[in-house]
Amino acid sequence: MKILFLLSIFLFFGCSDNSAASITNPTDSSSSSSITNPQDSSFSSSSIIHSSYSSSRVNLSSSSIAYSSLSAIISSSSENTSFQGLCVQFVNEYRATEDLSPLSRASLTQESCTQDQASQDLKSGVAHGHFGSCEEWAQNTAPSVNVAFYKSEEEMLKKYLKMMWVDEKQLVLEGVTEYKRIGHYLNMSNTSYKSLACGIAYNENKSTAWINMNFY
């Protein structure tokens, strides 16, 4: 268990995409950023994890960075029951803390594509390995999630989104401007995006999950 914990920490802080873009190069379509979960070795978004990457091909200057409360604000009760519905609901709850307009749930075609994309990324083991295949403008991903750490998909979402928004926003408040370190938050708070498609895939024995979030 101690070895798994140490490996988790290493992946959280040591995984970043080689194509990660800084804010000085906001239009790089292959950029990615990563996040890390101190309990889980599956977070990567080109700044803090190899299970939660974020990639974007739009101008980051459109992201809104308001200085509201940094506490996790996801409600304890959920209006939606599907993974896709919960994902959009929780992201919108964070956006509401900055008075940002809510994202709509993407079309069934976009959700289906995102689901297939997550499955392909899981098989290849490469975060953002199929970025752009669903014509998305930006992507956050939580790769190689250790399912054993979570009681449900809802709990998994809450913990990863908290790291993507709360933890990365704290870095923004501290003056960090590197996209590879704050890309998840920038994608989630970007005012140019209007809809969101989420997908989750599992390996054969359901011990590992892979989450993709595509912004449109």
Side-chain angles (χ1 to χ4, degrees):
M1 194 67 181
K2 183 176 181 181
I3 294 175
L4 287 175
F5 178 78
L6 291 175
L7 177 59
S8 167
I9 294 296
F10 172 77
L11 287 174
F12 185 89
F13 291 99
C15 176
S16 64
D17 193 304
N18 290 333
S19 60
S22 68
I23 288 183
T24 58
N25 184 15
T27 58
D28 186 345
S29 63
S30 63
S31 63
S32 99
S33 104
S34 89
I35 299 179
T36 272
N37 185 337
Q39 291 184 315
D40 184 357
S41 63
S42 69
F43 209 54
S44 129
S45 142
S46 173
S47 80
I48 314 175
I49 90 178
H50 188 88
S51 41
S52 156
Y53 278 98
S54 79
S55 185
S56 174
R57 55 193 174 108
V58 301
N59 194 322
L60 300 180
S61 62
S62 59
S63 289
S64 171
I65 302 176
Y67 300 96
S68 57
S69 170
L70 292 176
S71 60
I73 48 75
I74 291 179
S75 61
S76 57
S77 60
S78 303
E79 301 171 1
N80 300 283
T81 56
S82 69
F83 176 85
Q84 291 80 5
L86 286 172
C87 183
V88 175
Q89 176 189 331
F90 293 160
V91 170
N92 282 335
E93 288 179 8
Y94 276 120
R95 286 173 64 91
T97 65
E98 296 187 5
D99 295 323
L100 302 177
S101 58
L103 298 174
S104 62
R105 185 167 166 177
S107 68
L108 291 176
T109 298
Q110 290 169 326
E111 286 189 341
S112 178
C113 183
T114 301
Q115 181 67 35
D116 291 341
Q117 185 189 62
S119 180
Q120 292 171 14
D121 286 349
L122 173 64
K123 290 178 182 178
S124 68
V126 178
H128 305 302
H130 298 83
F131 176 66
S133 64
C134 296
E135 299 185 347
E136 68 274 18
W137 282 99
Q139 180 183 86
N140 287 2
T141 186
S144 303
V145 179
N146 190 334
V147 176
F149 284 112
Y150 306 97
K151 296 178 181 178
S152 64
E153 291 181 344
E154 181 173 344
E155 181 182 359
M156 192 186 302
L157 267 174
K158 286 181 176 180
K159 288 191 176 181
Y160 273 86
L161 291 177
K162 184 265 181 186
M163 286 185 282
M164 290 180 178
W165 183 282
V166 178
D167 296 357
E168 291 191 16
K169 181 172 181 177
Q170 180 60 48
L171 293 177
V172 171
L173 295 177
E174 293 170 1
V176 174
T177 58
E178 298 171 82
Y179 176 76
K180 66 179 183 178
R181 298 186 64 194
I182 57 175
H184 293 116
Y185 168 72
L186 294 180
N187 287 344
M188 289 172 67
S189 62
N190 195 308
T191 57
S192 294
Y193 307 139
K194 305 304 179 185
S195 63
L196 172 64
C198 299
I200 184 169
Y202 292 90
N203 63 353
E204 290 186 5
N205 62 12
K206 303 220 170 179
S207 62
T208 301
W210 192 290
I211 299 170
N212 277 1
M213 299 166 55
N214 287 339
F215 296 85
Y216 296 90

